Amino acid sequence: MHRRTVVSLATVLALVTPALLPSAATAAETVTTTNACVASVPEPGTTTPVRICYSLFQPAGASKARTVPLIFHSHGWGGSRTKDAAAFKSYLDAGYGVLSFDQRSFGESTGVAHVMNPDLEGRDVIKLVDLVAGLDWVTKQRPGDPLIGAIGGSYGGGYQFAGAFTELRDKGRTRFDALAPEITWWDLKQSLAPSEAARTQWLAGLYAGGGSHLPPSVQAAFIGLFTTGLWPTGQAGRDLDAFFAKNGPAWHVKQGRKLNIPVIIGQGLSDNLFNLNEGLQNFDQALTGRARSRSLFVGYNAGHTLPSVLPPGFVTPGDPCSIALGSPSFAALAQRFMALNLKGQRTGLSGFGSYHLATADGRCLTQRQLAANTQYRLGKVTGTTTVLAKGPITVAGVPQLKAKVSSLLPNAAAFFALSVGTTPLDAKIVQNNTMPLREKSPVRGARRTVDLPGIAVDVPAGKTLFLTVSPVADMFAGQNGTVPSSLRLDDVSLKLRRVR
């Protein structure tokens, strides 16, 4: 049964993270709120439809005679939908409908969490789009095709790609007209365990916040993953590989699909779960060239952020690029983006197709491209810190290291980053991020390529840019695991983009 209420927006406080939603304030107008559920795809091996529950907000004045576009919203991992219309005040006041929903297994929705499997969570989103397509007060571009955008961060960014790509796969086009995903992933396995080295600090927290919603075999594999720091072998490893195989834009792009709609991507350079590399791959590979020319990439020093203690890191939190683009926050910038693409309004937005990146010290650096233009040949790297260049120098993008790698013991590892300091002793890694290389078996002179964390950094005069190679990194430490053995690195070279 639908439960319909009319909610008066009095003086309220925003109940959601400001980075993900516009703030709430007072309002005199009324919003019609509907709390209900749709029947969606049954769990594998069952026949009972899964219930996906939502809160639908119809703004004052919206009607069959005066239709409005609609914004989808959903929550992060372990969360639930936003039921208070006040949280969406700026959208509702601007003449948008909003639908916030509980993702499969969370909130009031039933089922099991498959973490954005296109055949399950992807089709859940399509069911909700079908629902909106039947609302007479939502603007249609053609029968069955509502005018819609989407917002949300992390898991709430994942549903946007899952829904749009699944519809593209199943129907040849998506009905989403604009997306605004924040701090989400390109390839889920690559994000959680790059080089099959688990981000154990984050995995432990994610499991505590929502692990019980996963299928039992995946729960068991995850426990082994974050307690040992190693990607499981045998059946457990095969279970995880199969579980993650389709769960992100990377899989769709491998199947030849790209989105041809405008997207504004917000990604954290200091995010040490879904780092800048993930957002850049979404921007560079998940969109057509035409879509990219109408899209924005904003990198800020925020997101899933933990301080890096070992090795020590540094960053100045903030979002200077949304400010540089004329908005006080990414949420406000995303709403301007929706106004442009859903309402055709003149918003003054610029910077399309470029990369707008917060530097480690908090200024906005804009680049048209991030391809490497400088190479350092380092030979044999024996210490933890190697000089690259003296300041002043500015570096942006994803540095790439190549080396001949040798190890004596299985599960040998090294963790790579660029760092800044006056000497090797006080150098700190840029924006609190490292990337691993793990060798499961002993190797000798094996050629390897490692993408380092994407960064933006100004190295001032008097300081030096270093390559840091650490045998341990706290983001990847197994709770009960052993300290990894070290790697020998020969014939090392590093490519990066030097801005000045």
Side-chain angles (χ1 to χ4, degrees), residues 367-402:
Q367 292 288 289
R368 285 295 299 174
Q369 60 175 310
L370 295 175
N373 59 11
T374 304
Q375 179 171 267
Y376 299 95
R377 296 192 179 277
L378 306 176
K380 182 178 180 179
V381 172
T382 55
T384 58
T385 308
T386 302
V387 172
L388 294 176
K390 302 287 187 181
I393 177 177
T394 296
V395 173
V398 179
Q400 187 179 78
L401 179 140
K402 293 185 177 183

Side-chain angles (χ1 to χ4, degrees), residues 308-344:
S308 181
V309 178
L310 186 65
F314 78 102
V315 70
T316 299
D319 180 10
C321 291
S322 288
I323 295 171
L325 290 167
S327 296
S329 65
F330 183 85
L333 186 67
Q335 185 164 341
R336 288 172 64 202
F337 189 79
M338 294 297 167
L340 172 66
N341 290 289
L342 301 187
K343 293 193 168 191

Side-chain angles (χ1 to χ4, degrees), residues 141-467:
Q141 300 168 97
R142 58 186 67 85
D145 186 3
L147 186 59
I148 52 175
I151 59 174
S154 193
Y155 206 55
Y159 87 84
Q160 300 179 49
F161 283 125
F165 268 116
T166 300
E167 197 166 38
L168 178 62
R169 179 194 69 176
D170 293 350
K171 300 183 178 182
R173 61 183 295 271
T174 179
R175 287 174 288 177
F176 280 99
D177 298 288
L179 304 178
E182 288 193 75
I183 55 174
T184 196
W185 65 87
W186 154 258
D187 181 309
L188 194 53
K189 177 183 174 181
Q190 171 184 285
S191 299
L192 300 179
S195 192
E196 298 199 346
R199 294 185 186 271
T200 46
Q201 283 204 30
W202 277 111
L203 284 171
L206 291 170
Y207 188 85
S212 62
H213 295 264
L214 295 165
S217 63
V218 177
Q219 291 186 42
F222 256 85
I223 290 172
L225 184 62
F226 70 71
T227 54
T228 66
L230 304 177
W231 194 259
T233 57
Q235 188 58 49
R238 288 191 290 273
D239 285 347
L240 275 191
D241 285 339
F243 184 73
F244 286 125
K246 299 180 181 180
N247 295 18
W251 179 77
H252 290 280
V253 171
K254 286 178 184 177
Q255 309 305 307
R257 291 183 281 275
K258 291 179 182 285
L259 296 177
N260 193 34
I261 56 174
V263 180
I264 179 170
I265 294 177
Q267 202 77 18
L269 285 92
S270 58
D271 190 316
N272 36 40
L273 174 60
F274 302 137
N275 64 15
L276 181 67
N277 305 36
E278 298 293 303
L280 291 176
Q281 288 177 99
N282 280 330
F283 192 73
D284 293 340
Q285 299 185 51
L287 308 181
T288 65
R290 178 177 179 272
R292 210 162 35 249
S293 71
R294 301 167 60 206
S295 298
L296 286 169
F297 188 96
V298 177
Y300 38 63
N301 290 324
H304 309 90
T305 58
L306 290 173
S308 181
V309 178
L310 186 65
F314 78 102
V315 70
T316 299
D319 180 10
C321 291
S322 288
I323 295 171
L325 290 167
S327 296
S329 65
F330 183 85
L333 186 67
Q335 185 164 341
R336 288 172 64 202
F337 189 79
M338 294 297 167
L340 172 66
N341 290 289
L342 301 187
K343 293 193 168 191
Q345 294 178 353
R346 293 183 178 182
T347 62
L349 279 176
S350 61
F352 299 101
S354 293
Y355 307 91
H356 308 280
L357 306 177
T359 67
D361 287 326
R363 79 174 179 97
C364 183
L365 173 68
T366 294
Q367 292 288 289
R368 285 295 299 174
Q369 60 175 310
L370 295 175
N373 59 11
T374 304
Q375 179 171 267
Y376 299 95
R377 296 192 179 277
L378 306 176
K380 182 178 180 179
V381 172
T382 55
T384 58
T385 308
T386 302
V387 172
L388 294 176
K390 302 287 187 181
I393 177 177
T394 296
V395 173
V398 179
Q400 187 179 78
L401 179 140
K402 293 185 177 183
K404 291 181 179 178
V405 178
S406 302
S407 62
L408 296 176
L409 300 174
N411 295 320
F415 301 88
F416 300 88
L418 296 191
S419 57
V420 176
T422 54
T423 70
L425 294 177
D426 66 15
K428 294 183 178 181
I429 64 170
V430 178
Q431 289 162 315
N432 286 330
N433 257 312
T434 59
M435 284 290 273
L437 172 63
R438 182 183 294 280
E439 296 290 348
K440 288 194 269 188
S441 303
V443 294
R444 182 176 180 181
R447 291 195 174 273
R448 298 287 187 259
T449 299
V450 181
D451 286 341
L452 274 61
I455 60 168
V457 63
D458 295 314
V459 182
K463 292 194 174 182
T464 300
L465 181 69
F466 298 95
L467 168 66

